[in-house]
Amino acid sequence: MTERFTITTPIYYPNDRLHIGHAYTTVAADAIARFHRLRGEDVFFVTGTDEHGQKIEDRAGKVGKTPIAYVDEIVSDIRDLWQTLGISNDDFIRTTEPRHERVVQEVFRRLEAKGDLYLSQYEGWYCTPCESFWVEGKLVDGNCPTCGGPVARLNEESYFFRLSRYAEPLLQHIESNPEFIQPVSRRNEMIQFIRQGLEDLSVSRTSFRWGIPLPQDPRHIAYVWVDALTNYITACGYLQDPERFNRYWPADVHLVGKEIVRFHAVIWPALLLSLDLPLPKVVYGHGWLLLGEQKMSKSKGNVIDPRQLVRRYGRDAVRYYLLREVPFGADGSYTEDALILRTNVDLANDLGNLLSRTTAMIERFTGGVIPGPASSSLRGQAEETVRRVEERLERLQVSDAVAAIFELVKRANKFIEEEAPWQLHRSGDPRLADVLYDLAESLRITAVLLKPFLLEAPNAIYRQLGLGDAAGATLADAAWGGLAAGTKVERGEPIFPRIETERAAEETPAAPAGSAPAKTEAPQAAPAEAGTITIDEFQRLDLRVGTILEASRVKGADRLLELKVDLGEGEPRTVVSGIAEYYEPQALEGTQIVLVANLQPAKIRGVVSHGMILAGKTADTLQIVSPREPLPAGTKIK
Ligand code: ME8
């Protein structure tokens, strides 16, 4: 029977638009869910919205809407956000749905039948943004210990859940299941918290109406956290679809932010113990995305809109940044500069370049056909990478798993430098086939491994390798040797164009900064009409075919490349060209160009340029001019 895997995110409050903190949790859960699907497992991935409670009621009242009209609008915005980010959830649960209200009411009946519910008086403090009860002693300077905001005094009749009864069984469970609360720092916090003693929990309120009435006493509204936590079993089919419930419950992972581990690792398991239901296997509390020093949060308003980032940088870049940048479990600061750097270094430079270099070399050296190898040098590392990714994701080390994939990409790039395939080609060395196959196969495996994390890049890599769409690829396809020799590559656009942040307007490709035009003498023979030139004038131009041997970026100039061009003169020419925005340096190696060979040398950003390459430029693209078929280096253009 196929393994099954259930993963959940918190259900978010639709009290305001979500920000990249929420996207962080949801994208991570999505990557984990996609990884388990890649392994062929039957995955149930659920997210949703936590729509009841005082916070929502207050907020809707402030803008003059009914709570349901208010949340409906935000919930549709949230669904749309998850679509933008490519979230592959199997269910979306709203706590206002009848399927959920029925379950919450039945839960309250069962708690009562178990003797775990009693009526009393709550006297203490309440934090509405966190929807949390606090006893005096836990407040920090009179404020909420979680969010630091003001708390309100409550004195109202309330039903209580006998949480105190479950302290011992919970401690036992946590101690005998070391993986139950992760990372280990949160586990230790929870053990301490429970050891201090658990008080019974107030689980109903009478001072507002927006929520689920208790079946035994409808004056009371279910405490929003009991309502919210119950979503996990509703979504799995509790009391409605036993077969589905047995299949998908208990959850394998509840992924949450660290501030709500307490609810998931203490209150929720205690409720489940009372209901005689199995406990989730793992509660993982990840760290926060900070803006500066502070937690990004709806109540503080210091938030970044994920949609804006997707519009600016693309969904793969945003997903990559969220999954890779901060070690999973720890806090980390968000900056747009770091997002740009990640995209340019890892995606454009390392991955994008590897693909364009590899396909360019296959086109040039083996007629576009992936050759059959005799032996492999990268196989060991590729196989190790697959193992590492699996092992790390099993331990929910999301950022480490992504890092492992990029180690392979880096290794493959280094391998190109070490092996210099262009030299193998020049000398007719048969190892060329091994090297090119190794590169293409490492790329294909990289694409398979990236499927949980990036949505467009794996397909683009597959297509450029001539393999069509990556949609059907599974983890089994990450085995070395899956790439058939004889496959024809289909070179395409760079999969991740570099993000340029500064534009030096003077560095245009056709006339690089500082390049003085060649001095022209007045024409001797027939004088030219205005706007035309004579044939003699044209012939003064020395246009020649050259082959780019090396290309590298010019330090401190985002738009310039330094090229070493073979003109058949022996010593290659150095040419500085303003094409860095359009071409990755390594992808140019081996490309033929047309050079204005008698242009007066000019010093550009400290490099002396001996000539200028020809290119056509439109508003959004630039194409260097190349002969249709290769010509010997130095051929004169007439
Ligand atoms: O707590 N960094 O909903 P919520 C990282 N409805 N993650 C962040 C974050 C940040 N700066 N800000 C938010 C609730 N999150 C309850 C949950 S579950 C039964 C009920 C993420 O809208 C993180 O996962 O306040 C956090 O736990 C969650 O959003 C809180 O979302």
Side-chain angles (χ1 to χ4, degrees):
M1 196 159 102
T2 32
E3 290 268 330
R4 67 94 175 134
F5 182 81
T6 299
I7 183 164
T8 67
T9 72
I11 50 170
Y12 304 107
Y13 292 124
N15 62 322
D16 216 333
R17 296 181 70 167
L18 300 191
H19 55 73
I20 57 166
H22 305 97
Y24 182 65
T25 315
T26 311
V27 167
D30 181 64
I32 298 165
R34 284 174 184 269
F35 166 71
H36 284 268
R37 290 195 199 103
L38 195 69
R39 287 218 288 207
E41 293 169 23
D42 172 11
V43 171
F44 182 60
F45 166 27
V46 59
T47 186
T49 40
D50 181 0
E51 306 187 8
H52 293 129
Q54 187 165 12
K55 170 155 74 172
I56 303 278
E57 189 180 270
D58 289 355
R59 189 63 199 252
K62 268 198 192 114
V63 295
K65 289 193 175 160
T66 62
I68 192 68
Y70 181 75
V71 294
D72 273 352
E73 231 170 77
I74 298 183
V75 169
S76 94
D77 189 70
I78 292 174
R79 285 180 189 269
D80 180 73
L81 173 63
W82 298 151
Q83 212 161 14
T84 303
L85 284 164
I87 304 304
S88 63
N89 52 301
D90 300 289
D91 196 353
F92 186 101
I93 182 161
R94 301 183 57 175
T95 52
T96 47
E97 289 174 72
R99 63 166 168 163
H100 180 65
E101 298 188 343
R102 276 199 298 275
V103 170
V104 171
Q105 293 200 322
E106 186 56 29
V107 162
F108 272 91
R109 276 192 206 102
R110 291 182 184 211
L111 295 180
E112 187 174 33
K114 195 70 187 280
D116 281 340
L117 199 67
Y118 63 91
L119 186 63
S120 181
Q121 189 75 14
Y122 177 77
E123 244 200 281
W125 299 93
Y126 195 77
C127 172
T128 304
C130 297
E131 300 281 17
S132 295
F133 295 99
W134 293 108
V135 292
E136 182 90 31
K138 294 272 184 199
L139 300 182
V140 178
D141 301 329
N143 289 321
C144 169
T146 302
C147 71
V151 286
R153 184 84 194 158
L154 291 191
N155 190 350
E156 61 187 48
E157 187 187 86
S158 176
Y159 282 87
F160 282 77
F161 168 61
R162 286 189 204 282
L163 183 61
S164 54
R165 203 188 238 187
Y166 294 96
E168 261 320 299
L170 258 176
L171 270 178
Q172 266 174 25
H173 183 81
I174 295 171
E175 267 151 17
S176 49
N177 293 277
E179 73 296 337
F180 177 55
I181 306 172
Q182 296 185 45
V184 72
S185 53
R186 316 260 186 265
R187 177 170 185 264
N188 296 338
E189 279 165 25
M190 288 304 116
I191 292 176
Q192 277 215 330
F193 179 81
I194 300 170
R195 283 210 180 120
Q196 286 168 12
L198 295 180
E199 297 198 14
D200 289 349
L201 177 72
S202 167
V203 288
S204 74
R205 303 275 315 270
T206 51
S207 47
F208 68 92
R209 293 308 302 159
W210 179 237
I212 302 173
L214 299 201
Q216 47 275 87
D217 189 345
R219 288 176 305 130
H220 283 256
I221 297 296
Y223 173 40
V224 65
W225 267 101
V226 174
D227 172 348
L229 290 161
T230 305
N231 96 83
Y232 299 129
I233 50 177
T234 306
C236 288
Y238 183 52
L239 301 175
Q240 337 209 15
D241 184 343
E243 201 180 311
R244 183 176 149 90
F245 187 65
N246 286 337
R247 181 145 189 79
Y248 294 117
W249 188 260
D252 292 273
V253 181
H254 285 322
L255 191 62
V256 300
K258 65 180 183 182
E259 81 288 0
I260 58 172
V261 168
R262 188 168 60 92
F263 296 95
H264 287 79
V266 179
I267 297 175
W268 179 227
L271 287 168
L272 289 167
L273 287 174
S274 175
L275 294 168
D276 293 315
L277 290 176
L279 306 193
K281 292 182 193 150
V282 173
V283 172
Y284 191 101
H286 65 65
W288 289 337
L289 282 190
L290 312 173
L291 205 60
E293 302 282 290
Q294 285 208 318
K295 177 183 182 237
M296 198 182 288
S297 81
K298 285 179 280 201
S299 55
K300 292 197 193 89
N302 58 340
V303 299
I304 302 288
D305 175 9
R307 257 178 285 233
Q308 200 178 11
L309 296 182
V310 170
R311 269 196 301 275
R312 234 179 261 165
Y313 304 115
R315 135 172 119 174
D316 273 3
V318 174
R319 285 178 65 106
Y320 182 74
Y321 171 76
L322 292 175
L323 294 166
R324 172 68 183 88
E325 183 69 11
V326 181
F328 205 61
D331 291 352
S333 288
Y334 163 83
T335 70
E336 193 159 336
D337 283 350
L339 193 162
I340 293 171
L341 198 68
R342 277 281 167 210
T343 307
N344 283 350
V345 173
D346 296 6
L347 299 179
N349 251 23
D350 290 353
L351 179 62
N353 243 347
L354 178 63
L355 180 66
S356 51
R357 292 168 94 181
T358 301
T359 51
M361 290 190 293
I362 291 172
E363 265 195 353
R364 199 164 148 61
F365 302 147
T366 56
V369 175
I370 297 170
S375 70
S376 310
S377 304
L378 294 181
R379 177 176 185 154
Q381 172 134 13
E383 288 174 345
E384 180 58 28
T385 304
V386 178
R387 272 194 296 277
R388 270 189 209 154
V389 170
E390 277 205 83
E391 194 183 283
R392 290 177 185 182
L393 277 179
E394 269 164 14
R395 293 202 216 129
L396 305 175
Q397 296 166 342
V398 180
S399 49
D400 291 345
V402 183
I405 303 174
F406 278 79
E407 286 304 311
L408 177 62
V409 171
K410 280 202 189 81
R411 176 73 198 98
N413 274 318
K414 184 123 189 296
F415 184 64
I416 299 181
E417 253 89 83
E418 290 163 4
E419 298 292 335
W422 45 94
Q423 277 168 17
L424 299 177
H425 177 245
R426 229 172 282 150
S427 60
D429 191 323
R431 257 182 346 106
L432 178 67
D434 300 349
V435 172
L436 295 182
Y437 183 87
D438 271 17
L439 293 171
E441 179 60 337
S442 299
L443 267 165
R444 190 190 63 83
I445 290 170
T446 298
V448 176
L449 293 178
L450 280 176
K451 276 184 69 179
F453 308 102
L454 304 184
L455 305 181
E456 282 129 40
N459 285 331
I461 297 172
Y462 254 54
R463 272 196 298 274
Q464 295 205 20
L465 290 174
L467 299 169
D469 198 277
T474 68
L475 198 62
D477 294 305
W480 186 270
L483 180 59
T487 307
K488 200 154 174 10
V489 300
E490 292 169 20
R491 285 200 76 189
E493 294 292 304
I495 54 172
F496 289 103
R498 274 180 71 84
I499 301 166
E500 296 298 343
T501 47
E502 60 165 83
R503 301 207 174 259
E506 80 278 17
E507 291 165 2
T508 58
S515 65
K519 263 197 189 137
T520 49
E521 287 165 20
Q524 295 301 305
E529 284 174 37
T532 64
I533 61 166
T534 65
I535 186 79
D536 291 345
E537 280 175 296
F538 172 70
Q539 277 169 355
R540 287 174 53 80
L541 275 178
D542 189 13
L543 298 176
R544 290 187 187 270
V545 174
T547 306
I548 298 176
L549 300 178
E550 285 176 33
S552 55
R553 296 185 183 280
V554 174
K555 263 217 183 106
D558 280 349
R559 308 183 74 199
L560 298 181
L561 292 185
E562 180 178 341
L563 310 173
K564 298 281 183 221
V565 180
D566 177 14
L567 278 191
E569 300 168 319
E571 183 71 19
R573 291 259 193 129
T574 298
V575 176
V576 176
S577 180
I579 56 174
E581 281 179 279
Y582 303 92
Y583 294 95
E584 288 304 326
Q586 276 80 9
L588 286 171
E589 287 171 10
T591 303
Q592 288 208 306
I593 47 89
V594 174
L595 189 80
V596 184
N598 61 341
L599 194 65
Q600 213 175 46
K603 200 169 188 180
I604 304 168
R605 294 283 173 112
V607 183
V608 181
S609 179
H610 299 267
M612 184 172 84
I613 70 167
L614 299 187
K617 186 169 189 299
T618 66
D620 49 7
T621 181
L622 176 143
Q623 290 290 325
I624 53 181
V625 175
S626 299
R628 267 173 69 92
E629 298 290 340
L631 286 167
T635 304
K636 189 162 169 51
I637 305 282
K638 301 195 244 197

